[in-house]
Amino acid sequence: DGTCTAKLTSVGGAALSHRNKVINGGMTISQRGTTFTATDSEYVIDRFQHANGSGFTFDTTTTQDSSTPDGFQKSLKITPDSTQTPTGSHNGTIRQMIEGQDVQDLAFGTSSAKSVTISFYAKSASSNNNHQYGVQLRTRDSAGAARYVNQAFTVTTSWQRYTMTFAGNTSVAIRNDNGNGFEICFHLASGPDDIVSAKSTWTTSGAFQTVTGQSNFMDNTSNEFYLTGVQLEVGDTATSFEHRS
């Protein structure tokens, strides 16, 4: 009998350690507090921002919650404090912005541009069971111009893991500094002007843009959206969530 040994150095083109570009994707750190009430933009659980667009009254309470899928400790929970109907280009999102210098290994703007995979866990309350929301990934170049891809996902009352992979952008590089170079936006509410067909290739637009079929999270004060295990990694493979202290 022979012995076969192998040294695994990467998964899906990404390193084994520090695979996750998202900081605090497990929602374990919340230094500003554990409850946040806002109608516009403010930072909530560390590195995550409650953001609105075009003056939308995104009237919600965001908390660090202990409801989680197996293997996790904390989640982000958000619920409406009043009902609102978005019009025009109104938007209500939860997002994280990543410094451009931290995503240069994607090699965007070159013929070697790598695919990128986003994965996360989410669930709803019974009142918004089967709501459709959207994920938008946005990059910014050295002049601050934005390009995006997006995809819809449907929540249920049970925790689910969602994974989405997008090909790299061979045409335009991501800014290489400590400015906002890459955004992950979870769209919970959107006016009709910013609801578009899903985009799988990087499309020029600086707007928040979600996907046809978007539900209105703000239609019932009993609605809830839970989020944890957010991971952004190089390559076409969604690996298990990288827990880091």
Side-chain angles (χ1 to χ4, degrees):
D1 295 334
T3 300
C4 180
T5 60
K7 182 179 180 181
L8 186 62
T9 58
S10 68
V11 177
L16 290 177
S17 64
H18 292 75
R19 303 185 310 277
N20 194 1
K21 303 295 186 184
V22 174
I23 297 175
N24 197 33
M27 310 298 176
T28 55
I29 307 301
S30 192
Q31 297 176 94
R32 299 176 184 87
T34 55
T35 301
F36 309 87
T37 301
T39 59
D40 49 21
S41 294
E42 74 163 355
Y43 280 94
V44 287
I45 293 173
D46 280 25
R47 296 285 178 157
F48 287 88
Q49 185 185 38
H50 172 282
N52 69 329
S54 298
F56 180 53
T57 304
F58 193 27
D59 183 19
T60 63
T61 294
T62 305
T63 57
Q64 186 186 44
D65 200 83
S66 58
S67 175
T68 64
D70 291 344
F72 290 83
Q73 301 177 51
K74 298 292 182 181
S75 64
L76 179 153
K77 174 189 175 183
I78 184 170
T79 188
D81 290 331
S82 64
T83 57
Q84 303 288 333
T85 302
T87 61
S89 56
H90 284 162
N91 309 101
T93 77
I94 296 294
R95 69 173 174 174
Q96 182 168 138
M97 295 177 283
I98 302 170
E99 294 180 10
Q101 62 193 6
D102 291 335
V103 289
Q104 292 304 304
D105 53 341
L106 293 177
F108 277 29
T110 75
S111 59
S112 301
K114 297 179 175 63
S115 296
V116 61
T117 296
I118 174 80
S119 56
F120 57 95
Y121 294 82
K123 74 169 186 173
S124 71
S126 58
S127 56
N128 59 321
N129 183 47
N130 289 320
H131 263 204
Q132 177 188 304
Y133 304 128
V135 172
Q136 180 186 24
L137 306 183
R138 293 202 292 188
T139 64
R140 294 189 183 273
D141 62 22
S142 57
R147 289 153 187 89
Y148 78 95
V149 290
N150 61 4
Q151 187 170 318
F153 65 100
T154 300
V155 289
T156 69
T157 56
S158 298
W159 283 106
Q160 296 182 69
R161 193 186 194 201
Y162 303 83
T163 64
M164 306 167 187
T165 297
F166 300 94
N169 186 350
T170 58
S171 300
V172 183
I174 298 172
R175 65 188 302 167
N176 186 14
D177 56 24
N178 64 358
N180 175 19
F182 200 111
E183 287 178 62
I184 304 168
C185 304
F186 296 91
H187 290 277
L188 300 181
S190 182
D193 292 356
D194 287 334
I195 297 176
V196 299
S197 59
K199 300 291 190 296
S200 59
T201 57
W202 297 90
T203 302
T204 301
S205 175
F208 285 127
Q209 306 255 258
T210 189
V211 181
T212 302
Q214 170 81 27
S215 300
N216 178 20
F217 175 69
M218 301 298 293
D219 66 4
N220 189 325
T221 56
S222 295
N223 291 346
E224 296 170 345
F225 177 69
Y226 296 80
L227 178 69
T228 196
V230 183
Q231 182 151 293
L232 179 77
E233 54 193 311
V234 179
D236 58 5
T237 303
T239 63
S240 58
F241 181 76
E242 182 182 13
H243 292 273
R244 290 165 58 188
S245 63

